[in-house]
Amino acid sequence: MENRKNLSPSNVSKSIECAKCHKQVSPENGQEKNGKFICNDCIAKSKRNKFIALAVLLACCVGGGLTWYFLANPNQKLTATGFDGVTGINDSVNIQVDSINVEFNLATAAISSTPVSTQAPISNIEEFKRVVAKNIDAASSGSANSLEIPVSAVLFGFKSSNLSNEAKDLIKEIATIYNQTSRANSIVIDGYACNIGADAPNDYISKERAEIVKAAFIENGIDPSKISTHWYGKSKNAEFNLPYNEDNRRVLISIR
C-alpha cells in the first residue's frame, strides 16, 4: 500500500495576500492597516518614502528661504560659518557691537571728566591742551568712542569774580573741544570761596564766580541748557584740603 503523508490542516502552512504587493506571506510577517493586510516589506518601504518626502520638503523650504534672503540682501555673502559670520538663528535677534573694532570719532564721542579725587584740576591752558591731546591719542587706539576731559580750575582774586585773560582762554578752549563732540553730557560749573569771612558773603561770591564762568561759556557758543551751575562758598573746602587758602577762590569745570 502506498504511504501517504499526513496532510491535516495543522501541518499546512497558512499564508495571506498583501494588499499592496499581492505577495503571499505568513500572518506574522505583516499587520492589519485600515482593514487591509500589509506585509512588513511594504510597511518599511512606506516609511522610507515618507522620510524621503519630508527631506525633499525641508530642502525646498531651506532653498526657498535662501533664495528669498539673497534677493532681499543682494550684498550679503554666504561664508563657511554662515551669513557674514552669523552661525545661528534665534527667535529674537541680539545685535552685539565688537568693542575692539569701535573707531574713535570726536564728533560723536561722549566726553566726561575724571573725578577731582584722582586728578588735580588744571588751570593752565597749555597743560589742558597737552592732556586733552594725550587722551585723544589714547581714545583713538582704545576700544570705546569716548574721551576724558580733565577737570579745570578757573582761579580768582580775593573778593573778586573777574575773569583773567588766561581764564577766558581756558574757557574758550574747553568750549571748543566740547562743541566738537556729541555734547551728550553737560558742562558742570562749581563755584567756591576761601575761608576768610562769614558764610553769607562767601556763598554770594562763589555764586557770582559760577555765573560769570557760565556767561563766558555761553559767549563761546555753548547752549545754556547744557550748563549746570552750583556754588558752595567755603562749605566744602575741608574736603579738598588745598595747601593754600587762596587756592579755594576758584570755579571747577567738569563734563558729566
Side-chain angles (χ1 to χ4, degrees):
M1 178 182 292
E2 183 178 344
N3 292 328
R4 294 184 179 180
K5 294 180 179 180
N6 186 355
L7 298 178
S8 64
S10 61
N11 293 331
V12 177
S13 177
K14 294 182 179 180
S15 64
I16 189 169
E17 182 179 334
C18 174
K20 284 187 175 290
C21 65
H22 304 291
K23 291 190 302 183
Q24 295 290 330
V25 296
S26 60
E28 63 266 23
N29 290 328
Q31 299 178 24
E32 287 284 336
K33 296 280 187 180
N34 298 324
K36 296 180 181 181
F37 181 83
I38 309 296
C39 71
N40 289 341
D41 289 341
C42 289
I43 291 174
K45 184 177 180 180
S46 177
K47 290 181 178 179
R48 286 196 301 270
N49 290 341
K50 288 181 180 179
F51 177 81
I52 293 172
L54 181 60
V56 171
L57 178 61
L58 181 60
C60 291
C61 291
V62 173
L66 291 176
T67 301
W68 173 85
Y69 183 86
F70 282 111
L71 288 176
N73 303 273
N75 296 325
Q76 188 64 278
K77 297 178 181 179
L78 178 62
T79 68
T81 56
F83 298 107
D84 279 350
V86 179
T87 57
I89 299 175
N90 297 318
D91 292 336
S92 60
V93 178
N94 297 319
I95 300 176
Q96 296 181 343
V97 178
D98 184 358
S99 62
I100 296 176
N101 296 321
V102 173
E103 291 186 7
F104 175 74
N105 184 348
L106 185 60
T108 58
I111 61 173
S112 60
S113 298
T114 53
V116 177
S117 58
T118 60
Q119 179 178 344
I122 294 175
S123 59
N124 181 281
I125 186 172
E126 296 303 325
E127 178 66 8
F128 177 85
K129 289 181 178 180
R130 186 192 67 79
V131 173
V132 169
K134 178 182 177 181
N135 291 349
I136 288 177
D137 287 341
S140 299
S141 59
S143 60
N145 192 28
S146 60
L147 174 65
E148 286 191 1
I149 298 294
V151 176
S152 302
V154 173
L155 303 179
F156 294 87
F158 182 58
K159 294 184 178 180
S160 174
S161 58
N162 295 325
L163 290 173
S164 65
N165 290 332
E166 184 178 13
K168 292 178 181 178
D169 290 341
L170 179 59
I171 292 170
K172 183 178 180 179
E173 184 66 22
I174 297 170
T176 299
I177 293 293
Y178 181 84
N179 279 329
Q180 291 176 354
T181 67
S182 65
R183 290 169 288 187
N185 292 335
S186 297
I187 297 175
V188 179
I189 299 172
D190 296 326
Y192 300 91
C194 69
N195 296 323
I196 300 174
D199 290 342
N202 279 305
D203 290 343
Y204 179 80
I205 195 66
S206 66
K207 177 182 178 181
E208 275 198 335
R209 289 167 178 168
E211 294 292 348
I212 200 70
V213 170
K214 177 181 179 179
F217 273 112
I218 294 173
E219 289 177 2
N220 283 280
I222 301 298
D223 183 347
S225 67
K226 304 300 294 185
I227 303 174
S228 175
T229 57
H230 314 271
W231 48 90
Y232 304 97
K234 62 178 182 178
S235 63
K236 291 193 173 186
N237 291 353
E239 297 178 15
F240 296 109
N241 193 28
L242 298 176
Y244 302 102
N245 188 31
E246 61 189 46
D247 293 336
N248 292 307
R249 302 165 191 156
R250 63 181 183 173
V251 164
L252 293 182
I253 304 167
S254 59
I255 311 296
R256 290 182 291 195

